[in-house]
Short mmCIF file of all heavy atoms in Angstrom, two decimals:
data_model
loop_
_atom_site.label_atom_id
_atom_site.label_comp_id
_atom_site.label_asym_id
_atom_site.label_seq_id
_atom_site.Cartn_x
_atom_site.Cartn_y
_atom_site.Cartn_z
N ASN A 63 -1.24 6.14 -13.69
CA ASN A 63 -0.67 5.95 -15.01
C ASN A 63 -0.03 4.57 -15.06
O ASN A 63 0.92 4.29 -14.32
CB ASN A 63 0.36 7.04 -15.29
CG ASN A 63 0.81 7.03 -16.73
OD1 ASN A 63 1.07 5.99 -17.31
ND2 ASN A 63 0.89 8.21 -17.30
N ILE A 64 -0.56 3.71 -15.94
CA ILE A 64 -0.03 2.36 -16.10
C ILE A 64 0.28 2.15 -17.57
O ILE A 64 -0.59 2.31 -18.42
CB ILE A 64 -1.04 1.30 -15.62
CG1 ILE A 64 -1.37 1.50 -14.15
CG2 ILE A 64 -0.49 -0.11 -15.87
CD1 ILE A 64 -2.43 0.56 -13.61
N ARG A 65 1.52 1.80 -17.85
CA ARG A 65 1.98 1.55 -19.22
C ARG A 65 1.63 2.71 -20.15
O ARG A 65 1.21 2.52 -21.28
CB ARG A 65 1.40 0.26 -19.76
CG ARG A 65 1.84 -0.96 -19.00
CD ARG A 65 1.32 -2.22 -19.63
NE ARG A 65 1.66 -3.34 -18.78
CZ ARG A 65 1.11 -4.53 -18.90
NH1 ARG A 65 0.21 -4.77 -19.82
NH2 ARG A 65 1.46 -5.51 -18.09
N GLY A 66 1.79 3.92 -19.64
CA GLY A 66 1.57 5.11 -20.45
C GLY A 66 0.12 5.53 -20.61
O GLY A 66 -0.16 6.49 -21.32
N LYS A 67 -0.81 4.84 -19.97
CA LYS A 67 -2.21 5.20 -20.06
C LYS A 67 -2.77 5.50 -18.69
O LYS A 67 -2.51 4.79 -17.73
CB LYS A 67 -3.01 4.07 -20.69
CG LYS A 67 -4.47 4.43 -20.84
CD LYS A 67 -5.25 3.37 -21.55
CE LYS A 67 -6.68 3.90 -21.69
NZ LYS A 67 -7.63 2.88 -21.96
N GLU A 68 -3.55 6.59 -18.60
CA GLU A 68 -4.18 6.95 -17.35
C GLU A 68 -5.40 6.05 -17.13
O GLU A 68 -6.29 5.98 -17.97
CB GLU A 68 -4.60 8.41 -17.36
CG GLU A 68 -5.20 8.86 -16.06
CD GLU A 68 -5.62 10.32 -16.07
OE1 GLU A 68 -5.73 10.90 -17.16
OE2 GLU A 68 -5.83 10.86 -14.99
N VAL A 69 -5.42 5.36 -15.99
CA VAL A 69 -6.53 4.48 -15.63
C VAL A 69 -7.26 5.13 -14.47
O VAL A 69 -6.67 5.42 -13.43
CB VAL A 69 -6.02 3.07 -15.23
CG1 VAL A 69 -7.18 2.18 -14.82
CG2 VAL A 69 -5.22 2.45 -16.35
N LYS A 70 -8.57 5.37 -14.66
CA LYS A 70 -9.39 5.99 -13.61
C LYS A 70 -10.22 4.92 -12.93
O LYS A 70 -10.71 4.00 -13.58
CB LYS A 70 -10.29 7.06 -14.21
CG LYS A 70 -9.51 8.23 -14.77
CD LYS A 70 -10.43 9.28 -15.31
CE LYS A 70 -9.60 10.43 -15.87
NZ LYS A 70 -10.41 11.49 -16.40
N TYR A 71 -10.39 5.08 -11.62
CA TYR A 71 -11.19 4.13 -10.85
C TYR A 71 -11.74 4.82 -9.61
O TYR A 71 -11.28 5.88 -9.22
CB TYR A 71 -10.36 2.91 -10.47
CG TYR A 71 -9.21 3.20 -9.53
CD1 TYR A 71 -9.31 2.91 -8.18
CD2 TYR A 71 -8.02 3.76 -9.99
CE1 TYR A 71 -8.26 3.18 -7.31
CE2 TYR A 71 -6.96 4.02 -9.14
CZ TYR A 71 -7.10 3.73 -7.79
OH TYR A 71 -6.07 4.00 -6.93
N LEU A 72 -12.75 4.21 -9.02
CA LEU A 72 -13.34 4.73 -7.81
C LEU A 72 -12.69 4.04 -6.62
O LEU A 72 -12.80 2.82 -6.46
CB LEU A 72 -14.85 4.50 -7.79
CG LEU A 72 -15.65 5.24 -6.76
CD1 LEU A 72 -15.48 6.76 -6.89
CD2 LEU A 72 -17.12 4.89 -6.86
N GLY A 73 -11.96 4.81 -5.81
CA GLY A 73 -11.25 4.25 -4.68
C GLY A 73 -11.76 4.82 -3.36
O GLY A 73 -12.71 5.60 -3.33
N LYS A 74 -11.10 4.42 -2.30
CA LYS A 74 -11.47 4.89 -0.97
C LYS A 74 -10.29 5.60 -0.32
O LYS A 74 -9.14 5.33 -0.66
CB LYS A 74 -11.86 3.71 -0.06
CG LYS A 74 -13.12 3.01 -0.46
CD LYS A 74 -13.44 1.89 0.52
CE LYS A 74 -14.69 1.14 0.15
NZ LYS A 74 -14.95 0.03 1.11
N GLU A 75 -10.61 6.47 0.64
CA GLU A 75 -9.61 7.11 1.48
C GLU A 75 -10.13 7.07 2.91
O GLU A 75 -11.34 7.09 3.13
CB GLU A 75 -9.36 8.56 1.06
CG GLU A 75 -8.67 8.68 -0.28
CD GLU A 75 -8.46 10.10 -0.74
OE1 GLU A 75 -8.99 11.05 -0.10
OE2 GLU A 75 -7.76 10.28 -1.74
N ALA A 76 -9.21 6.99 3.87
CA ALA A 76 -9.58 6.95 5.29
C ALA A 76 -9.25 8.27 5.95
O ALA A 76 -8.17 8.82 5.74
CB ALA A 76 -8.83 5.82 6.00
N PHE A 77 -10.19 8.77 6.77
CA PHE A 77 -10.00 10.02 7.48
C PHE A 77 -10.26 9.79 8.97
O PHE A 77 -11.28 9.22 9.35
CB PHE A 77 -10.92 11.10 6.96
CG PHE A 77 -10.57 11.54 5.57
CD1 PHE A 77 -11.11 10.89 4.47
CD2 PHE A 77 -9.68 12.57 5.36
CE1 PHE A 77 -10.76 11.27 3.19
CE2 PHE A 77 -9.33 12.96 4.07
CZ PHE A 77 -9.88 12.30 2.98
N CYS A 78 -9.33 10.20 9.79
CA CYS A 78 -9.41 10.05 11.24
C CYS A 78 -10.62 10.81 11.77
O CYS A 78 -10.83 11.97 11.44
CB CYS A 78 -8.12 10.57 11.88
SG CYS A 78 -8.14 10.55 13.68
N SER A 79 -11.40 10.15 12.64
CA SER A 79 -12.56 10.82 13.23
C SER A 79 -12.15 11.77 14.35
O SER A 79 -12.95 12.61 14.78
CB SER A 79 -13.56 9.80 13.75
OG SER A 79 -12.98 9.00 14.74
N GLU A 80 -10.91 11.69 14.82
CA GLU A 80 -10.42 12.59 15.89
C GLU A 80 -9.81 13.87 15.32
O GLU A 80 -10.20 14.96 15.67
CB GLU A 80 -9.38 11.87 16.76
CG GLU A 80 -9.91 10.64 17.48
CD GLU A 80 -10.97 10.99 18.52
OE1 GLU A 80 -10.80 12.01 19.21
OE2 GLU A 80 -11.95 10.25 18.60
N CYS A 81 -8.81 13.72 14.42
CA CYS A 81 -8.10 14.89 13.91
C CYS A 81 -8.53 15.30 12.49
O CYS A 81 -8.19 16.39 12.04
CB CYS A 81 -6.59 14.66 13.95
SG CYS A 81 -5.98 13.44 12.77
N GLY A 82 -9.22 14.41 11.80
CA GLY A 82 -9.70 14.74 10.45
C GLY A 82 -8.70 14.52 9.33
O GLY A 82 -9.04 14.69 8.16
N ASN A 83 -7.46 14.13 9.66
CA ASN A 83 -6.45 13.92 8.64
C ASN A 83 -6.66 12.60 7.93
O ASN A 83 -7.13 11.62 8.52
CB ASN A 83 -5.06 13.93 9.26
CG ASN A 83 -4.60 15.31 9.63
OD1 ASN A 83 -4.60 16.21 8.81
ND2 ASN A 83 -4.22 15.48 10.89
N GLU A 84 -6.25 12.57 6.66
CA GLU A 84 -6.23 11.31 5.92
C GLU A 84 -5.06 10.48 6.44
O GLU A 84 -3.99 11.02 6.75
CB GLU A 84 -6.04 11.58 4.43
CG GLU A 84 -6.02 10.31 3.61
CD GLU A 84 -5.81 10.57 2.13
OE1 GLU A 84 -5.70 11.73 1.71
OE2 GLU A 84 -5.74 9.58 1.40
N PHE A 85 -5.24 9.17 6.55
CA PHE A 85 -4.14 8.32 6.99
C PHE A 85 -4.25 6.94 6.34
O PHE A 85 -5.26 6.59 5.75
CB PHE A 85 -4.05 8.24 8.51
CG PHE A 85 -5.19 7.51 9.20
CD1 PHE A 85 -5.00 6.23 9.70
CD2 PHE A 85 -6.42 8.12 9.38
CE1 PHE A 85 -6.04 5.57 10.34
CE2 PHE A 85 -7.44 7.48 10.02
CZ PHE A 85 -7.27 6.19 10.50
N PHE A 86 -3.15 6.18 6.43
CA PHE A 86 -3.02 4.89 5.78
C PHE A 86 -3.77 3.80 6.55
O PHE A 86 -3.60 3.65 7.76
CB PHE A 86 -1.53 4.52 5.67
CG PHE A 86 -1.32 3.15 5.10
CD1 PHE A 86 -1.37 2.95 3.73
CD2 PHE A 86 -1.08 2.06 5.92
CE1 PHE A 86 -1.17 1.69 3.20
CE2 PHE A 86 -0.89 0.80 5.40
CZ PHE A 86 -0.93 0.62 4.03
N VAL A 87 -4.56 3.02 5.81
CA VAL A 87 -5.23 1.83 6.35
C VAL A 87 -4.98 0.72 5.33
O VAL A 87 -5.37 0.86 4.16
CB VAL A 87 -6.73 2.07 6.56
CG1 VAL A 87 -7.43 0.79 7.02
CG2 VAL A 87 -6.97 3.19 7.57
N SER A 88 -4.37 -0.38 5.75
CA SER A 88 -3.99 -1.42 4.81
C SER A 88 -5.17 -2.04 4.08
O SER A 88 -5.08 -2.35 2.89
CB SER A 88 -3.16 -2.50 5.51
OG SER A 88 -3.92 -3.13 6.51
#
C-alpha cells in the first residue's frame, strides 16, 4: 500500500535448501 493505493508486483522470495524456511537475502 503506497499513498493509499495497493500496488501489485511480481517479486521474489528466498527459501533455504537445507531447512526450507523463507529467509532474508539483501
Side-chain angles (χ1 to χ4, degrees):
N63 190 316
I64 300 176
R65 297 184 186 165
K67 182 175 182 198
E68 183 180 16
V69 178
K70 294 182 180 181
Y71 65 102
L72 192 59
K74 293 181 181 179
E75 292 178 350
F77 292 89
C78 176
S79 61
E80 298 295 320
C81 69
N83 285 306
E84 181 181 358
F85 68 104
F86 176 81
V87 175
S88 62

